[in-house]
């Protein structure tokens, strides 16, 4: 494979700097591309380009914005293999999952095109109040101006489109900073949008270290909003630095699944394997904690272990591969040390637990104490802790005993129990008869507690990315 040169995109120009960075395939360190690290100068130029493009975006009709997004959707499908290979190369994702990510990302852009058409205000019944007689009121949603989008490594393409698509639909200009490890698909999206008629400067992609590029963007006076997906630590820092800017934060989790005694295990076992081990658990809603009713504990565990052992570990480009590497050797070492900590605290390793370079075997721990990091922090690796319980309320309590709250799942055939769980679990979303890892891209998505604030999904993101403006008149 050749090692491509990938300059960043500022104001419609392709820009390189003297500071080069090699992007490597995480699985084995093979170099796949060269990118360039921005200094504050390139970040400021990108914001200036976005400031210049913002009025052009604002004046564009909804239909013109939707048309650009629809063309980008078509182009993404036409370049599916190139995008999938970029995703697989930059984050080490098995190619089957990378292709699925491209399909989802294209859908996200298509949903955004639809939202460009739908974005509307309302007529306000001013005369419902005694002081409003003879008056009319209406609201419109106006673009914010320049939006800084900062994205993580694990879904480098789809999580970028969740920011770029709605921002364009709502008539904003964007400066996008992808994760340093995974800038390739973001740069391809800049090319796609420029070929699809997006005005120069409306989408700028700046590559470089989070500390410098991120801080410069977050503190820049011309940036109106920061939309961030990533870790809790960086999210809190952004919140603290952003001042009066609007901020949405999509952060981490340690998602839980409840399996009631009447759960359909034929459905739950295969879904649990997908929910726990897709992209080696590097998914913010990856199943990390399973609470299984004590009456079905042994049957579930034996079926879950058997299904997990069938997963194939290998090179990400091999279409047969289910499990490939984590993003870095350092991350794999961290996950390995958390497994060891749980083991020393009394957890039993039912399967997996071993590391080879950056790859960790799919791992199931049993009965780990709640205080170990594999339970109470975000593992972000292929590790699941299974614990048994006796009553549903006790299971719900343990699900809620977490600093995070992104999504949860419950399998039961009993409607009353299902809705009790849905009502009492404190997360942004609860799935009944589905794993917490379930997401389709039009649904509202986001967390409570340390998992963040604000919602994504194009219909919800366009609201976050616009200002509601009221106009009244007296007849
Ligand atoms: P991360 O380390 O927080 O990085 C995310 C992004 O923030 C990267 O682009 C990073 O740039 C940038 N960044 C670093 N320091 C910054 C700063 N001071 N100011 C502004 N930006 C800065 O997260 P990650 O390791 O890439 O991703 C994994 C995390 O994302 C997990 O916690 C996961 O749960 C979370 N996540 C959440 C969701 C969700 O929707 N809730 C979805 C996916 C992932 P560099 O790469 O250059 O450091």
């Amino acid at each position: 494979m050749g090692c491509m040169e990938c300059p960043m995109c500022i104001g419609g120009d392709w820009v390189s700097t003297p500071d080069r960075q090699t992007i490597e395939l995480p699985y084995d360190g093979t170099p796949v591309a060269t990118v360039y690290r921005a200094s504050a100068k390139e970040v400021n130029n990108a914001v200036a380009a976005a400031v210049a493009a913002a009025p052009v975006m604002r004046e564009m009709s909804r239909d013109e914005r939707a048309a650009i997004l629809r063309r980008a959707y078509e182009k993404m499908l036409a370049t599916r293999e190139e995008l999938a290979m970029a995703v697989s190369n930059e984050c080490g994702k098995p190619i089957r999952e990378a292709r699925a990510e491209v399909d989802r990302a294209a859908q996200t852009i298509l949903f955004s095109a639809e939202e460009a058409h739908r974005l509307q205000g309302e007529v306000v019944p001013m005369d419902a109040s005694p002081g409003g007689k003879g008056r009319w009121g209406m609201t419109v949603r106006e673009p914010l101006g320049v939006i800084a989008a900062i994205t993580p490594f694990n879904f480098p393409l789809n999580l970028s489109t969740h920011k770029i698509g709605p921002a364009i639909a709502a008539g904003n200009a964007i400066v996008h900073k992808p994760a340093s490890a995974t800038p390739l698909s973001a740069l391809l999206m800049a090319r796609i949008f420029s070929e699809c008629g997006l005005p120069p400067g409306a989408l700028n992609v700046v590559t470089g270290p989070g500390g410098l590029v991120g801080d410069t963007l977050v503190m820049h006076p011309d940036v109106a909003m920061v939309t961030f997906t990533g870790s809790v630590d960086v999210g809190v820092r952004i919140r603290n630095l952003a001042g009066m800017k609007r901020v949405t934060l999509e952060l981490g989790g340690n998602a839980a699944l409840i399996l009631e005694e009447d759960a359909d295990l034929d459905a739950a076992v295969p879904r649990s394997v997908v929910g726990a081990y897709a992209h080696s658990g590097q998914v913010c809603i990856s199943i990390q904690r399973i609470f299984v009713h004590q009456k079905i504990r042994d049957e579930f565990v034996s079926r879950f272990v058997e299904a997990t052992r069938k997963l194939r570990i290998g090179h990400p480009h091999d279409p047969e591969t289910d499990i490939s590497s984590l993003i870095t050797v350092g991350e794999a070492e961290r996950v390995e040390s958390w497994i060891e900590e749980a083991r020393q605290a009394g957890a039993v390793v039912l399967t997996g637990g071993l590391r080879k370079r950056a790859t960790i075997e799919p791992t199931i721990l049993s009965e780990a104490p709640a205080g170990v990091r594999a339970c109470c922090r975000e593992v972000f690796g292929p590790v699941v802790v299974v614990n048994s319980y006796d009553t549903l309320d006790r299971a719900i309590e343990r699900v809620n005993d977490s600093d995070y709250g992104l999504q949860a799942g419950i399998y039961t055939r009993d409607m009353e129990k299902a809705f009790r769980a849905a009502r009492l679990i404190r997360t942004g979303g609860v799935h009944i008869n589905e794993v917490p890892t379930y997401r389709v891209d039009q649904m509202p998505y986001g967390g409570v507690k340390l998992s963040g604030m604000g919602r994504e999904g194009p219909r919800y993101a366009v609201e976050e990315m616009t200002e509601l403006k009221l106009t009244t008149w007296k007849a």
Side-chain angles (χ1 to χ4, degrees), residues 384-404:
V384 180
V385 180
V386 181
N387 284 294
S388 58
Y389 68 86
D390 48 9
T391 65
L392 177 60
D393 279 7
R394 180 70 191 123
I396 293 171
E397 225 172 78
R398 292 173 78 178
V399 169
N400 285 340
D401 182 20
S402 168
D403 292 338
Y404 308 98

Side-chain angles (χ1 to χ4, degrees), residues 74-105:
E74 300 288 348
K75 193 114 201 166
M76 288 174 80
L77 295 184
T79 50
R80 181 178 189 246
E81 210 43 40
E82 187 184 1
L83 282 165
M85 197 47 98
V87 167
S88 183
N89 278 339
E90 61 191 349
C91 71
K93 185 169 286 189
I95 189 70
R96 250 186 311 120
E97 288 183 32
R99 288 184 184 124
E101 180 172 345
V102 177
D103 294 342
R104 281 185 58 187

Side-chain angles (χ1 to χ4, degrees), residues 150 214-215 218 226-229 232-243 247-249:
I150 304 178
D215 281 359
V218 171
V226 181
T227 167
F228 173 77
T229 302
V232 172
D233 288 353
V234 175
V236 170
R237 179 182 170 81
I238 288 174
R239 190 79 196 88
N240 290 336
L241 287 178
V247 173
T248 59
L249 302 174

Side-chain angles (χ1 to χ4, degrees), residues 121-126 136-139:
E122 61 185 7
V123 174
V124 183
M126 301 295 287
W136 291 70
M138 66 169 193
T139 59

Side-chain angles (χ1 to χ4, degrees), residues 40-311:
K41 180 179 130 201
E42 285 78 32
V43 183
N44 290 327
N45 287 347
V47 175
V51 167
V56 182
M57 290 301 293
R58 189 188 173 95
E59 290 308 313
M60 208 181 261
S61 72
R62 283 167 168 68
D63 196 45
E64 286 164 335
R65 289 179 217 146
I68 291 169
L69 287 160
R70 271 199 312 274
R71 283 198 292 273
Y73 161 76
E74 300 288 348
K75 193 114 201 166
M76 288 174 80
L77 295 184
T79 50
R80 181 178 189 246
E81 210 43 40
E82 187 184 1
L83 282 165
M85 197 47 98
V87 167
S88 183
N89 278 339
E90 61 191 349
C91 71
K93 185 169 286 189
I95 189 70
R96 250 186 311 120
E97 288 183 32
R99 288 184 184 124
E101 180 172 345
V102 177
D103 294 342
R104 281 185 58 187
Q107 280 269 306
T108 305
I109 292 295
L110 187 60
F111 286 131
S112 301
E114 291 165 1
E115 291 311 324
H117 279 165
R118 273 200 280 261
L119 189 60
Q120 63 184 37
E122 61 185 7
V123 174
V124 183
M126 301 295 287
D127 61 357
S129 140
K133 190 159 186 188
R135 287 169 204 265
W136 291 70
M138 66 169 193
T139 59
V140 289
R141 291 209 157 264
E142 294 194 331
L144 297 177
V146 176
I147 294 185
I150 304 178
T151 50
F153 75 83
N154 63 328
F155 282 86
L157 181 62
N158 194 30
L159 295 178
S160 302
T161 54
H162 266 285
K163 300 186 183 309
I164 296 166
I168 292 171
N172 295 291
I174 306 136
V175 180
H176 178 201
K177 187 228 139 1
S180 289
T182 59
L184 305 181
S185 53
L187 291 165
L188 286 176
M189 285 309 294
R191 191 189 78 196
I192 286 174
F193 271 109
S194 95
E195 289 170 0
C196 291
L198 191 70
L203 171 60
N204 308 276
V205 179
V206 185
T207 49
L212 185 140
V213 178
D215 281 359
T216 311
L217 280 175
V218 171
M219 291 191 286
H220 200 295
D222 292 337
V223 170
M225 174 185 184
V226 181
T227 167
F228 173 77
T229 302
S231 61
V232 172
D233 288 353
V234 175
V236 170
R237 179 182 170 81
I238 288 174
R239 190 79 196 88
N240 290 336
L241 287 178
M244 289 294 285
K245 291 182 176 60
R246 190 169 297 183
V247 173
T248 59
L249 302 174
E250 302 288 344
L251 309 179
N254 61 357
L257 172 66
I258 295 176
L259 297 168
E260 259 293 295
E261 57 184 301
D262 61 351
D264 174 1
L265 290 187
D266 290 344
V269 169
R271 289 298 293 155
S272 296
V273 173
V274 173
Y277 303 117
H279 196 18
S280 290
Q282 297 170 112
V283 179
C284 48
I285 38 177
S286 190
I287 305 176
Q288 186 172 327
R289 301 175 296 147
I290 296 182
F291 299 103
V292 54
H293 194 281
Q294 58 193 19
K295 283 195 188 146
I296 59 162
R297 188 259 178 211
D298 290 350
E299 187 191 350
F300 170 73
V301 162
S302 94
R303 290 174 66 173
F304 186 41
V305 167
E306 190 192 335
T308 298
R309 286 193 178 138
K310 288 190 182 139
L311 292 171

